[in-house]
Amino acid sequence: MARLVDLLTMATTTPSAPTTAAKDNALPRSCGPISLVAALRRFGIEQSVDAIWPAVTRKDPFGTRAARSYLLAALARTCQLDAAVLQCQPERAWQAIRTCHDADITVVLNHRAYRAPDEGHFTLLAAIDDATITVDDPFLGKNKQIDRQRFLKLWQPNRETAGHVLIAIDNPTTGQAEEASEDTTTCPRCAAPITLAPNRLFEPTEWNPNGLWQRFFCLGCDASFSPR
């Protein structure tokens, strides 16, 4: 079977639509860093929002500093964790989240804000079943339940989110270091190393037209890649 890295091609020559939270006139854009701090705590790693803020935010189109999904994942990588930013196939989006949850992979979700359809938001996945998803929301608290239909509507793209994007974070796989030379390439845009991990999500069968995923993003520049 061909390695997935041999089947992928750069999907765009410019970074994708920002996989980020959107402008908020009232509050600093802290939902991304807060969600990441909570995610890292699941691995016994303590960070603070203030400490990671400069590394995981950039100015958005409105001039406000906002978190970016690829920078959140890159920060998780610096903590010796596997991390990837993935975009689901829209028709299998719910299944993609359940697959991550059932595999005990920590997931930060990037979706529309609840009351502002043009804005974005980050939350941390807590649970999911056939009918509802439960998230830890940085502003509304833990265990916020959202019904399936409403969440999938929130997960549609808008002017500041690419849609159906999640950050998957996991412990490194045993023996992964020995396989790194086979599964690592570099981004043709920024030359950053691209590691296909968590490797449980990069099985080639999940990247065909009937699979779960359609794109992943470089953690160096946010360029996107998809199967040929």
Side-chain angles (χ1 to χ4, degrees):
M1 180 181 294
R3 292 180 301 124
L4 180 61
V5 71
D6 296 325
L7 303 176
L8 296 171
T9 186
M10 200 167 185
T12 59
T13 55
T14 58
S16 63
T19 52
T20 180
K23 181 176 174 61
D24 186 321
N25 293 321
L27 294 170
R29 305 313 309 273
S30 56
C31 55
I34 292 172
S35 294
L36 180 61
V37 166
L40 294 177
R41 193 169 291 130
R42 294 183 179 180
F43 298 92
I45 298 169
E46 291 295 331
Q47 291 279 1
S48 70
V49 172
D50 288 344
I52 69 172
W53 177 266
V56 302
T57 60
R58 295 290 185 270
K59 284 189 176 181
D60 67 14
F62 304 96
T64 302
R65 287 193 73 91
R68 299 291 298 272
S69 292
Y70 78 101
L71 296 174
L72 295 171
L75 193 287
R77 283 275 182 91
T78 69
C79 298
Q80 308 305 310
L81 298 171
D82 285 345
V85 181
L86 303 169
Q87 186 176 43
C88 315
Q89 297 280 6
E91 62 274 21
R92 286 177 286 281
W94 197 259
Q95 181 185 350
I97 302 174
R98 292 202 68 169
T99 295
C100 293
H101 181 262
D102 292 347
D104 292 325
I105 293 172
T106 295
V107 172
V108 175
L109 296 155
N110 182 211
H111 53 82
R112 295 179 180 182
Y114 306 118
R115 298 181 180 178
D118 287 335
E119 299 183 1
H121 192 44
F122 288 98
T123 54
L124 179 63
L125 177 67
I128 186 171
D129 57 29
D130 287 341
T132 60
I133 187 169
T134 304
V135 298
D136 292 344
D137 188 287
F139 303 139
L140 301 179
K142 291 187 175 182
N143 297 320
K144 175 179 173 58
Q145 287 194 334
I146 309 171
D147 70 70
R148 178 172 178 162
Q149 183 176 3
R150 185 185 180 207
F151 180 79
L152 290 177
K153 185 175 181 180
L154 288 172
W155 219 16
Q156 297 295 315
N158 63 10
R159 68 180 183 180
E160 294 185 3
T161 62
H164 305 108
V165 166
L166 59 80
I167 304 167
I169 306 172
D170 197 11
N171 284 307
T173 304
T174 303
Q176 186 169 295
E178 290 78 2
E179 300 173 3
S181 61
E182 295 185 3
D183 293 331
T184 303
T185 186
T186 57
C187 174
R189 166 170 285 277
C190 71
I194 295 176
T195 303
L196 305 183
N199 58 12
R200 290 181 288 175
L201 302 182
F202 283 93
E203 292 294 332
T205 54
E206 296 297 353
W207 288 84
N208 61 41
N210 296 317
L212 296 177
W213 313 106
Q214 61 174 327
R215 293 196 295 174
F216 72 92
F217 298 84
C218 172
L219 304 191
C221 68
D222 207 24
S224 63
F225 297 82
S226 64
R228 292 192 180 99

